[in-house]
Amino acid sequence: MPTHGPFSIKVNQANATSTMTQDFNVLYFDSTGNYIADQSLTTNNFINNRPIELDIPALSTSGTQVQMVISRSNTTAPANAATQLKYVFFGNGTRNCGPAEYTSYTMPVTFGHSAAAGANSVAAYDSFRPNIAQYFSSTGPVTIYFDTNNNRLATPQIRLKPDVAAANGVNNTFFPLGNIPVEADTVYDPDTFPNFYGTSAASPHAAALAALVLQAHGGLHSLTPQQVKTILQLTAFPHDLDPQFATGTATAANGGTVSIQISSDSDTNLGLGSNDPNSWNVSYTGPGYLKTLNFNPEGTPQTGGNGTGGNFTGFTPMDFLTPALYKFTPGMVFTSKFLVGNLVGVNSADVTHTRSNPASAPSNPDPSNPTEHEWTLNLTFTDNSFTAGDIFRFNAGRKQQQDATVPQGLTNTGASAPVIGTGASLFRADSTADLLGDGVFIPEDPNGTNIQPGMTFNGTIVDGATTYPFNGRLKNKIGHGYSVLDGFGFINAEAATAATLPVPGVVSRKTHGAAGTFDLPLPINGTAGLECRSGGASNAYTLVFTFDRPVASNGNATVTQGSATIAPAPAGGTNPSTGPNPNQVAVNLTNVTNAQHLIVTLSNVQDTSGATFPSVAARMDVLVADTNADHFVDSADIAQTKSKSGQAVSASNFREDLNTDGFLDSADIGLVKSKSGTTLP
């Protein structure tokens, strides 16, 4: 509406001191190096006192590709120079729009409202197989560097986002067919309803399941929001803890070791994973040289990875619970595409790649091209060309042998974007490294007891005049816990509605041979728990601290009373360490002296929202062979141990298995006799 009447404009001078210490700009150049001044982001951060550059550049007139440079305008770095920069690209699914290089498949990108400490950030799983998280879910974690008053935090706060994962791609009758939100009638089901894809589709499912959990535990106000989230996280299905990544290692009889690492996503927009020439990384250590390497040499679906693939032939929601309506057709087939990346030591001329074992119909959809899709990829290296320290990087085209299409899956590309009015094979996961390793069936395997194996590989190493074979299998890191792509995993509604809240506490945990693991409670208040089991040659014990919600950082442990040592961290690990459950922290001790009152304090443990738990002091009285916990080792303990001799170790008698070998026998009786007369001070 036009302004009427007299008005005045007043300009005030800003006299406050800017809190900005650096001015960063985002500069664009075309493919020939010409600066695109009118589209670059060059606001003066000192003047506007904002640590951000924000705009919508129109770059389409500058060619199909531009170069982006982040630069600092002030030439002299301040004393507290920035060590972290973050840029967010709002592509919103725009075709062929995104980074062309320097990409990371798991770089944290979550920000905004979903990064709030109290928010529940939800990743997406396709409702059709394979059972893996979809690449477009925003990865975490989120690092918070400033408080709400813009003061720099002494220690950055880490928030584990996303929190959980839920289904997308199901039918809806609200959104019509269209590109945004992503809507199409997928060929993965037999009906004609539009299928709604995206984390915006997964979040309502998570909210509905949260409501079911609340109802199952007593209704409104029976649980806090944090307790609902805790239950969803701790009962989720096992999942891949190293997404977009698969590994394999095999060692021949001569000690030569072949290591394989594969990093790739299934991006159908830019095709980053499928076009990355450095996606597959093969290295060799040891004597002699690597001669051959074959992937899926058996040439069968069962040895070709994609263990959770297959087509669904049901229709109603209840059909998902009928195993007969799943036709599991696992396996990945290789196409003719082959890219060579950056090499170390070995030359591309020294490598020959071939394919073999054509996949039968319907895996080859074109009868006139029977070798379009083949089961086996073969690499052959010239003599002495691939020796210790060398690295061969490449990428091989591949597809799911059969996808989830109805009524019969085909190995076809399908549409990479919705095709309005027609069926569309959306978001195919062909290129992700996760399909090459292990997989979990959802909903059939809630505990991860039937992990589906990854792709096989074998080959030969030549050392002198002898050829040594090797073989292995590509793997994913399957388990319970946090993943940067799908949080704590896909929500298991049945387990969540039946679950109880975790009870905080501390136990002393020991494995008793084949009999299993047994915990001795260590109460925080009242009488201290007494550990009577032997610590072995190194007097080692493990304390497991359980919290009321998942933890993000394992904190630090100190011996605040008594004599013991916090054990050195294992190679590639930490001590304390998170686990075995997501809401637990384990502390390994050595040199624990007998006959003492020991206190180990765990501090600075943080939850997934960045909040710090209060310190926990674990009290453990140690008196080896005091099976009845009366603070004396005497004839009563000897008699009690003798009375259990010959029994199978169980929760009712594990205290008498003093040497923790899984048997109740004369060795335990001898140990208690040797300790007779010792007392707790």
Side-chain angles (χ1 to χ4, degrees):
M1 177 180 295
T3 302
H4 297 280
F7 62 92
S8 61
I9 298 176
K10 183 178 181 180
V11 179
N12 294 316
Q13 181 177 352
N15 295 318
T17 302
S18 174
T19 58
M20 296 297 101
T21 59
Q22 295 170 100
D23 177 20
F24 284 94
N25 296 318
V26 180
L27 311 178
Y28 290 104
F29 299 82
D30 64 21
S31 58
T32 60
N34 297 309
Y35 176 51
I36 310 173
D38 61 335
Q39 300 301 322
S40 295
L41 284 58
T42 58
T43 57
N44 191 316
N45 303 124
F46 294 116
I47 293 177
N48 65 20
N49 200 32
R50 299 177 64 194
I52 189 172
E53 296 284 343
L54 181 65
D55 201 355
I56 306 176
L59 300 169
S60 59
T61 59
S62 302
T64 58
Q65 190 174 105
V66 297
Q67 301 175 52
M68 183 181 73
V69 176
I70 300 177
S71 68
R72 189 183 67 217
S73 66
N74 52 312
T75 57
T76 302
N80 59 339
T83 58
Q84 299 283 337
L85 292 175
K86 182 172 186 174
Y87 80 91
V88 179
F89 182 84
F90 293 96
N92 202 28
T94 305
R95 296 296 299 156
N96 299 317
C97 187
E101 60 180 351
Y102 301 114
T103 59
S104 169
Y105 301 116
T106 55
M107 178 65 68
V109 297
T110 299
F111 84 109
H113 60 278
S114 64
N120 292 301
S121 178
V122 182
Y125 271 55
D126 200 324
S127 55
F128 305 96
R129 296 190 188 274
N131 299 143
I132 57 175
Q134 296 190 294
Y135 79 91
F136 53 74
S137 296
S138 295
T139 49
V142 175
T143 304
I144 306 298
Y145 293 96
F146 300 91
D147 64 17
T148 54
N149 294 316
N150 296 325
N151 298 309
R152 187 188 298 268
L153 297 173
T155 301
Q157 188 182 86
I158 306 297
R159 298 175 183 172
L160 299 190
K161 302 292 181 177
D163 295 282
V164 291
N168 78 156
V170 302
N171 290 341
N172 90 97
T173 58
F174 180 78
F175 290 117
L177 293 171
N179 286 320
I180 299 176
V182 180
E183 293 296 320
D185 178 27
T186 178
V187 294
Y188 292 166
D189 61 24
D191 58 58
T192 58
F193 290 108
N195 297 79
F196 181 18
Y197 280 86
T199 53
S200 296
S203 294
H205 285 104
L209 295 176
L212 289 177
V213 170
L214 190 63
Q215 180 187 44
H217 287 78
L220 188 65
H221 303 306
S222 61
L223 297 173
T224 66
Q226 176 61 58
Q227 288 173 329
V228 173
K229 179 163 71 172
T230 294
I231 289 175
L232 295 177
Q233 291 175 326
L234 295 184
T235 58
F237 284 92
H239 61 137
D240 189 356
L241 299 177
D242 56 353
Q244 323 290 30
F245 190 68
T247 62
T249 302
T251 301
N254 73 327
T257 298
V258 176
S259 298
I260 302 165
Q261 295 181 336
I262 306 168
S263 299
S264 180
D265 69 4
S266 55
D267 178 7
T268 56
N269 184 7
L270 295 173
L272 296 177
S274 61
N275 294 317
D276 181 359
N278 298 304
S279 176
W280 297 54
N281 186 312
V282 178
S283 60
Y284 178 69
T285 57
Y289 59 89
L290 178 62
K291 180 61 179 178
T292 62
L293 176 59
N294 313 295
F295 292 93
N296 190 8
E298 298 85 354
T300 68
Q302 292 74 21
T303 54
N306 189 25
T308 63
N311 58 311
F312 172 64
T313 57
F315 185 79
T316 70
M318 288 303 296
D319 290 341
F320 279 92
L321 303 179
T322 306
L325 293 175
Y326 285 106
K327 295 182 179 178
F328 300 129
T329 51
M332 302 294 293
V333 291
F334 290 101
T335 68
S336 59
K337 182 177 181 178
F338 192 85
L339 307 175
V340 177
N342 300 324
L343 310 181
V344 176
V346 64
N347 297 313
S348 59
D350 295 323
V351 184
T352 301
H353 76 276
T354 60
R355 293 179 299 136
S356 57
N357 297 320
S360 59
S363 299
N364 271 316
D366 184 359
S368 66
N369 187 9
T371 61
E372 180 181 1
H373 301 139
E374 300 190 76
W375 285 118
T376 306
L377 175 67
N378 310 292
L379 302 177
T380 303
F381 305 92
T382 58
D383 293 351
N384 296 301
S385 65
F386 201 147
T387 57
D390 292 349
I391 301 175
F392 179 61
R393 298 186 179 97
F394 68 98
N395 200 346
R398 57 200 182 275
K399 295 182 182 298
Q400 300 172 64
Q401 182 225 358
Q402 296 184 37
D403 63 20
T405 51
V406 174
Q408 177 64 61
L410 296 176
T411 309
N412 53 22
T413 302
S416 56
V419 178
I420 307 305
T422 64
S425 179
L426 291 172
F427 306 122
R428 286 179 57 92
D430 296 317
S431 298
T432 177
D434 297 338
L435 289 187
L436 298 168
D438 312 291
V440 177
F441 280 137
I442 296 175
E444 297 90 336
D445 190 14
N447 299 315
T449 56
N450 187 29
I451 302 299
Q452 302 302 300
M455 180 180 287
T456 59
F457 64 91
N458 71 9
T460 56
I461 293 169
V462 177
D463 187 2
T466 306
T467 299
Y468 296 92
F470 64 85
N471 63 80
R473 205 144 195 169
L474 299 178
K475 296 182 177 296
N476 290 323
K477 185 180 179 182
I478 302 295
H480 292 278
Y482 172 74
S483 155
V484 298
L485 182 60
D486 60 343
F488 285 82
F490 190 78
I491 295 173
N492 184 340
E494 290 184 341
T497 52
T500 58
L501 288 168
V503 178
V506 187
V507 299
S508 173
R509 176 167 295 174
K510 279 190 170 293
T511 299
H512 292 242
T517 298
F518 296 92
D519 294 341
L520 193 151
L522 303 177
I524 300 298
N525 301 306
T527 303
L530 190 143
E531 176 59 89
C532 63
R533 296 170 292 183
S534 169
S538 59
N539 295 316
Y541 294 86
T542 297
L543 305 185
V544 178
F545 295 72
T546 298
F547 295 88
D548 65 352
R549 55 193 185 275
V551 302
S553 65
N554 42 41
N556 54 277
T558 55
V559 177
T560 49
Q561 178 178 295
S563 178
T565 302
I566 306 298
T574 62
N575 185 33
S577 62
T578 302
N581 292 330
N583 63 323
Q584 294 178 327
V585 174
V587 179
N588 293 320
L589 306 173
T590 58
N591 303 318
V592 178
T593 303
N594 189 31
Q596 66 163 323
H597 302 282
L598 179 67
I599 298 179
V600 176
T601 301
L602 182 64
S603 307
N604 300 318
V605 177
Q606 291 187 331
D607 68 9
T608 59
S609 296
T612 301
F613 289 98
S615 297
V616 180
R619 303 175 305 144
M620 183 172 76
D621 289 348
V622 183
L623 186 59
V624 175
D626 183 14
T627 59
N628 62 5
D630 66 353
H631 297 186
F632 300 93
V633 180
D634 52 22
S635 59
D637 302 296
I638 297 173
Q640 182 167 307
T641 304
K642 285 182 176 180
S643 70
K644 307 295 183 181
S645 184
Q647 297 180 4
V649 177
S650 67
S652 63
N653 61 21
F654 71 88
R655 290 179 62 92
E656 285 71 48
D657 181 20
L658 297 172
N659 61 4
T660 67
D661 65 352
F663 300 95
L664 293 166
D665 52 22
S666 58
D668 302 301
I669 298 172
L671 180 56
V672 69
K673 286 182 177 180
S674 71
K675 299 295 183 181
S676 183
T678 57
T679 63
L680 191 68

